[in-house]
Amino acid sequence: MNAEIKQEYQKIEDKLSEEEFLEKMNEMKKDYEDVSFMNDIDIARMIVGQFISEKNTPLSEKKEHSMDKISKMEEGADKLTIKGRVMRISNPKPFTTRKGKGGKVANVILADETEEVRVVFWTENIKLLKNMKEGDIVQIDKVTVKDGYRGRKEIHLQPRSTVEKVDTEENLPDYSEEITPIGSIEEDQEVNVIARIIRLPGIRTFEKDGKEGKVASLELQDETGKVTYTLWNKDTDLIEELDLNEGDSIKILGAQSRMRNGEISLTHPWVGRIIKGDYDVPEAEENVLKIGDAHEVKDVTVMGLVTKVQDPIIFERSNGKPGSVKSIEIVDDTGSIRVTLWNNDTNLEINKGDIIKITGGNVEFDEYAQSGYRLNTNWNTSLVINPESDGNLLEVLQEYKKHLEPVKIGTISEMEDEGEEIDVVGRVVSISEPREFQREDGTSGLVRSVDMADETGLVKISLWDEKAHTNLKLGEALRVENARTKLGLYSVDLSVGKTARIMNPLPEDLEGLPSFEDLEEMIYTTKKIDDLEEDERNVRIIGRVIDLYDPNEFQRNDGSPGIVRSMEIADDTGAMRASLWDEKAEIPITIGDALRIENPRVTFRNDNLELSIGRNTQMNKAKDKDLEGLPTFKELEEMIYQSRNIEDLEEEDRNIKVSGELTDAFGGKVLSYRCPNCNNRLESVEEEYICDFCGETAEEPKYLLMLPARIADDTGEIRVTFFGKQAERLLGMTTPEVADIIAKSADEGALEDKVEDLNGMHISVIGDAKFDEYNEEVRLNPKKILEFEM
């Protein structure tokens, strides 16, 4: 119990214990929990009033002490009746209680012959204002007197307060609603005006003392002039609540005038009112500046068709706080101009093809603009998107809009000029991961490649820097604006950089756009492995993995790390090697998987065609319909891996199966020392390993386990060398285990006996036949060991 409540309790301590008093307070709090203006001291006074009135006659009931006039009313008195003339009524304002509940409050200035007082109407009483207007004489029952703003006395209504109009005039002050012409307003006046809204800018936010505020400045006009009328913070809600629009006529009561930058302006007061109605004020005359006539001039109205929109750019203001700027271009029947939008206006949903009306912009000289000028907006500029108007200009702009349709992707290949800006709509059919690069000036950049397609074709799009971070999904429909053409060696590509936009398509963009599945069928031609040719594009291969190798890490020429993994893929016409690069090398794959590979590069390497599967290739598990006609893994093994006698082997035989006895297995030197940077052979010089290729000294080399031997059958024998995992499988040891034994023994031939024990085993190998020019013989390059046994 604080001191103030304690003081109230002491008035009735002979009638009620402290515990009983507090219990009554808690019960009454529950009854009044939704009454926004009741606090603990008010409740304490109500309880005290109940007990004092039972036996004592209040002083207020005695004529000499009656609080029947405003000047006599004292703080803390309640259940009073007040009578006076309504001098001012405010628009209701919203608020939030300490418990998070919303409510409204309105202020009424009431006057009698003694003085004026502020009367507060809360949520429960707002409905009583409907039958009141300025000048009325009213009697309000059951009110409470409180200490208000800056110690001024206030009258507060309670939930059961009543308001009644009365006819008595007595000696009440007169009410006069004098309307001041805008042209006659002077500084520091309280005025009433009737005017028309000729400009209604958006609501702006600002920060002051760590708190966010709101402001909106309406421009008003009557037959005598123009004036700015500013609403602050919660008063800005009146724009929506009263449904204020440009062209509306309004009456404002109690506006406060002030001088700002040498001009008179008006501010909405804490007790003031805006009344929307049909008042006798001239219609606003609007002079729309033709864009072709633009010159350095302030406060103009321009209307045009939006032909270009750029994404906002965030910057740091001089005070260290963030700001944003955004450029658009508009056109009318006389020319085009760039428009600069700032801060809150950059969040407006403005799209290419919208018609925008800009009121209150300033035309400024701009040496970088094609027309020599730009239109700069400010905090008091009004922006109306797609205004309702029956003017001729609007009809002209609607006609121009028909020429802003995105181009069909199939027509891009016919363009001959580099740097031409175009819009396209399509679906993402291929996505690469972003990759970093270094520019000539030493700065780093980011680029990402995407293939987009519509029903007419496919185009490669490069996304640069921040655009490379765009979250994209395969099959997603996109609208790309302001992309620039880039002439490639074989095609015309698109470049999407700082001034371009990546957006969700408009509803009309999706009309006629095929599904992702349909586009796949349209773009990619399914080919058999045996029909592939070098440098083919937009092909699809359906095949099954028949062999798979471990990933290998490497270092690119620019020093960046990479990873590659090889696999063998086959269909009913043949088999070929495929290289999986970087993120594709990490896709989980097992031998026997059926894959659908779209848009791989078909290259010629080591005298054979190979598939290169990188950023622009889509590789997924084959669909059910793809499996029709694709042999099983067992069937492919039988088709691809054909058994041959050694004497029948010919140069360039591929994927042949050779079975025989292992002979001449040599273990004198089973480790090859490799450079950890470039994987080339290392030379040992004075107990150091030096790479002749990259010149680096390696403290710890990479080890390649190798096991040379021959395979013999009844028809002949052939040289073969097993590397890596194959050699580990034959020895039953890992490469690190072999390296450890050799290092500890300091003997390169430490495993010679173990290797020679392999001689005589039966082995079946899948491999390719190659001519060994050094030994002038055909040898077998093993790809997979099928089986071996002693």
Side-chain angles (χ1 to χ4, degrees), residues 158-213:
Q158 297 185 20
R160 294 181 178 83
S161 296
T162 60
V163 177
E164 180 185 2
K165 287 186 184 180
V166 292
D167 294 331
T168 179
E169 288 289 336
E170 298 184 359
N171 295 317
L172 298 178
D174 294 331
Y175 171 76
S176 174
E177 192 172 280
E178 180 181 348
I179 302 300
T180 303
I182 289 175
S184 303
I185 298 175
E186 298 179 357
E187 185 179 1
D188 294 329
Q189 283 186 310
E190 180 179 289
V191 296
N192 306 321
V193 297
I194 291 177
R196 191 173 300 279
I197 301 173
I198 61 171
R199 186 188 309 171
L200 186 60
I203 298 172
R204 317 279 170 166
T205 58
F206 62 90
E207 187 175 320
K208 184 176 181 181
D209 299 330
K211 295 182 179 180
E212 185 178 81

Side-chain angles (χ1 to χ4, degrees), residues 280-460:
D280 184 19
V281 284
E283 294 289 338
E285 291 186 8
E286 188 172 63
N287 295 317
V288 178
L289 177 71
K290 289 291 187 180
I291 293 175
D293 297 333
H295 56 282
E296 290 184 80
V297 62
K298 292 185 177 181
D299 196 17
V300 298
T301 297
V302 173
M303 188 160 70
L305 178 71
V306 179
T307 58
K308 183 175 181 180
V309 181
Q310 296 182 2
D311 287 331
I313 297 173
I314 307 301
F315 63 91
E316 186 175 311
R317 294 190 180 103
S318 57
N319 61 5
K321 295 179 180 179
S324 60
V325 62
K326 177 178 182 176
S327 291
I328 65 173
E329 287 186 8
I330 63 173
V331 63
D332 66 7
D333 52 342
T334 65
S336 64
I337 194 168
R338 182 163 66 94
V339 181
T340 306
L341 309 177
W342 300 92
N343 303 318
N344 289 5
D345 286 341
T346 63
N347 298 321
L348 292 174
E349 188 65 29
I350 301 175
N351 295 308
K352 185 177 291 190
D354 284 340
I355 294 172
I356 188 167
K357 178 181 173 185
I358 303 170
T359 305
N362 299 327
V363 181
E364 301 173 353
F365 175 72
D366 186 347
E367 61 179 319
Y368 300 105
Q370 187 174 359
S371 65
Y373 297 97
R374 67 169 178 170
L375 183 64
N376 201 10
T377 62
N378 55 70
W379 65 276
N380 201 30
T381 301
S382 169
L383 302 169
V384 182
I385 303 168
N386 297 319
E388 295 181 2
S389 171
D390 56 358
N392 293 331
L393 178 57
L394 193 63
E395 293 179 5
V396 171
L397 297 180
Q398 291 284 8
E399 187 65 26
Y400 282 6
K401 184 176 180 179
K402 298 176 183 178
H403 301 285
L404 288 180
E405 299 294 331
V407 303
K408 291 296 182 182
I409 290 176
T411 65
I412 295 175
S413 60
E414 302 170 4
M415 296 181 179
E416 299 179 354
D417 295 331
E418 186 163 88
E420 185 176 349
E421 281 195 355
I422 62 171
D423 303 343
V424 294
V425 172
R427 291 191 189 278
V428 178
V429 295
S430 172
I431 311 173
S432 73
E433 291 298 317
R435 63 179 178 86
E436 292 186 1
F437 65 92
Q438 194 169 44
R439 298 183 176 91
E440 292 182 358
D441 62 1
T443 60
S444 60
L446 200 66
V447 65
R448 187 181 195 185
S449 294
V450 173
D451 283 342
M452 274 183 61
D454 64 10
E455 69 277 12
T456 66
L458 178 142
V459 65
K460 180 182 177 182

Side-chain angles (χ1 to χ4, degrees), residues 151 209 361 581 669 775:
D209 299 330
W581 299 94
K669 185 175 181 180
N775 294 295

